[in-house]
Amino acid sequence: MTLDAARCYEAVLSRDRRFDGRFFAGVVTTGVYCRPICPVRPAKPENVRWFACAAAAEAAGFRPCRRCRPEASPGTPAWSGTSAVVARALRLIAAGGLDEGGIDGLADRLGIGARQLRRLFATHLGAAPAEVARARRVHFARALLDETDLPMAEVAFAAGFGSIRDFNHALRATFGRTPTELRRARRRRGPLPNGGGVTVRLAFRPPLDWAGLLDFLAPRATPGVEAVAGGVYRRTIVLGDAAGTIEVRAAAGEPHLLMRIRLARHERLLEVVARARRLFDLDADPVLIAEHLVLSPELAPLVGRRPGLRVPGAWDAFELAVRGVLGQQVTVRGATTLAGRLVRAFGTPLDPAEHGLTHLFPRPEALAAVDLASIGLPGARAATIRALAGAVARGEIVLDVSRGLEDAVARLAAVPGIGAWTAHYIAMRGLGEPDAFPAADLGLRRALGDGAGPLAPARVAELAEAWRPWRAYAVLHLWTKEAT
């Protein structure tokens, strides 16, 4: 990938946090690579090579700087400056898409050949898919060494390594020190606070409207599964046969959230982090998105009032899809009530319960053949949920956007009872699709009508063409306008 060296160097001289994570500087005289905000005096321009992502710098033989810790940066925005295919591939890699099936399996899910996928990654990121996945594992392992007291073996498997040997080799190759040496360096800084569970940092690119995220999630929190109180989001989680909880709060004055994870086993902590990042839309670049949307006269005043707005996602796409169906033709409060009944009737109790978290959300297999009318759900919506659950359980519907928004919407809309509005809502929140747009939504039509009555859906869709590829963020801005 070609970066403008002059502009990159100016950004390094300014140490502007807006550029943090957008690119990295490799210094040929030292063999290290840095973030744009590194406090060390910049090297001469002729001694610097520029990289689009940390994986590309490491693949070129550079080690992370010990001062600015590039492995702890917010991360390259998943959709900025990349092709749609690469953006979707990055999301699949974050969800473990290379763990089973390798590069051929990943390419097949995307609907292209493995050779083409490698070429796209080289063009847009300067690193191969396997190098991106490797950097992700290595950086997470380093974070666990720094932020937890987990034993070395648990760190290795939590970060997705297949063996202790691979773990040791990868960290030594990347950081120039063994895992034991890295852990020893952290311990010299003092003991970690002991509050139970494992606490990790979730870096983001400022600004982040954390209060706005919680205001959206609180009335939609499924009773027994989720709880929002006192600036903290909590929920139950299950990975395989391991159940537990997460608790997420803002870190005062710092560009990261703090997440406490309570699980009996830690082999899949990397997946927990990936899901939490998707839930709070932490890989977004809010400045870039705002610069695009503010060009719209309809959105400009709203964008100015909500800096750092994110699209609230979901822990589990199936859970969000069920919630989307429950919300058809009822209020948010009514949908929340129905969701609570569904969980109490068909969810798995959490033992022990804590902070009002009592159940795990029922899995597709559990909802495919139950009598949902028993919780007061209308027959048509009950049939839709059973049909959706059965299709997901049988593998007939895969809840992702690996082949694009239109494909995902079409697959969802093939389920009887799921229309375009519900399909786009699921794609927007459950699948993390930044361009999803439920044009027929009454709230959007009212907000754009500006007091003169709802606009026609066709006119709403026409206006939204100028907001691509960030139409989902426009939805949140307009919903906020309608709520005030």
Side-chain angles (χ1 to χ4, degrees), residues 2 113 115 169 202 220 257 310 383 388 418 429:
T2 301
R115 182 176 180 181
H169 175 76
L202 305 175
R220 295 166 177 82
L257 303 178
R310 309 296 170 107
L388 174 67
I418 293 184
R429 294 196 55 209

Side-chain angles (χ1 to χ4, degrees), residues 79 84-85 87-88 91 109-110 398-414 419-439 464-465 467-473 475:
W79 304 290
V85 173
R88 295 195 295 271
R91 278 180 281 186
R109 290 180 67 181
L110 294 164
V398 179
L399 293 175
D400 65 26
V401 286
S402 57
R403 300 202 176 190
L405 172 62
E406 290 74 17
D407 175 81
V409 168
R411 283 186 280 119
L412 286 165
W421 182 93
T422 305
H424 274 271
Y425 181 78
I426 295 169
M428 182 176 72
R429 294 196 55 209
L431 309 184
E433 173 51 55
D435 203 36
F437 190 76
E465 284 299 306
W467 307 335
R468 289 183 182 272
W470 312 112
R471 293 187 301 174
Y473 295 86
V475 171

Side-chain angles (χ1 to χ4, degrees), residues 123-410:
T123 300
H124 292 277
L125 296 179
E131 291 167 342
V132 172
R134 177 189 178 279
R136 174 173 167 265
R137 290 192 298 270
V138 168
H139 295 175
F140 186 62
R142 174 67 189 271
L144 292 180
L145 290 173
D146 277 356
E147 299 169 16
T148 76
D149 283 320
L150 288 176
M152 290 295 180
E154 291 192 35
V155 170
F157 296 121
F161 287 96
S163 69
I164 302 296
R165 181 178 180 180
D166 289 346
F167 165 69
N168 289 332
H169 175 76
L171 267 72
R172 185 161 198 156
T174 301
F175 299 106
R177 290 184 286 177
T178 67
T180 301
E181 290 169 334
L182 292 170
R183 173 61 64 80
R184 189 179 299 126
R186 193 275 294 163
R187 282 176 172 163
R188 286 198 292 268
R189 297 195 294 270
L192 293 170
N194 183 13
V198 173
T199 300
V200 298
R201 292 182 175 90
L202 305 175
F204 58 81
R205 186 170 282 96
L208 172 70
D209 185 5
W210 178 243
L213 268 171
L214 296 187
D215 286 344
F216 184 91
L217 293 170
R220 295 166 177 82
T222 300
V225 173
E226 301 172 283
V228 179
V232 180
Y233 173 88
R234 298 180 177 90
R235 70 159 293 128
T236 61
I237 64 173
V238 60
L239 297 169
D241 59 355
T245 64
I246 59 170
E247 175 183 296
V248 186
R249 66 183 71 232
E254 298 292 336
H256 60 255
L257 303 178
L258 292 173
M259 177 170 65
R260 180 174 295 170
I261 307 162
R262 293 184 175 90
L263 275 172
R265 299 189 306 278
H266 301 117
E267 304 95 71
R268 299 175 69 175
L269 285 185
L270 187 54
E271 183 180 346
V272 175
V273 169
R275 288 183 179 225
R277 296 190 66 82
R278 189 167 61 245
L279 169 58
F280 300 113
D281 195 18
L282 298 184
D283 290 323
D285 188 335
V287 174
L288 179 71
I289 296 168
E291 287 174 349
H292 180 77
L293 296 181
V294 79
L295 300 176
S296 164
E298 296 86 3
L299 298 179
L302 306 178
V303 173
R305 290 202 294 265
R306 291 287 303 276
L309 175 140
R310 309 296 170 107
V311 175
W315 171 261
D316 179 79
F318 174 73
E319 178 181 325
L320 192 281
V322 171
R323 174 61 192 236
V325 175
L326 291 174
Q328 293 173 344
Q329 301 177 353
V330 297
T331 64
V332 170
R333 178 178 294 182
T336 299
T337 299
L338 288 172
R341 292 177 186 170
L342 181 143
V343 164
R344 287 192 297 274
F346 308 112
T348 303
L350 181 70
D351 185 24
E354 54 180 74
H355 296 292
L357 304 179
T358 60
H359 287 77
L360 305 173
F361 195 85
R363 300 308 305 152
E365 298 80 3
L367 295 182
V370 296
D371 177 17
L372 292 170
S374 63
I375 64 170
L377 193 62
R381 269 180 281 164
T384 297
I385 291 176
R386 285 197 302 271
L388 174 67
V392 172
R394 293 188 297 270
E396 297 170 1
I397 290 183
V398 179
L399 293 175
D400 65 26
V401 286
S402 57
R403 300 202 176 190
L405 172 62
E406 290 74 17
D407 175 81
V409 168

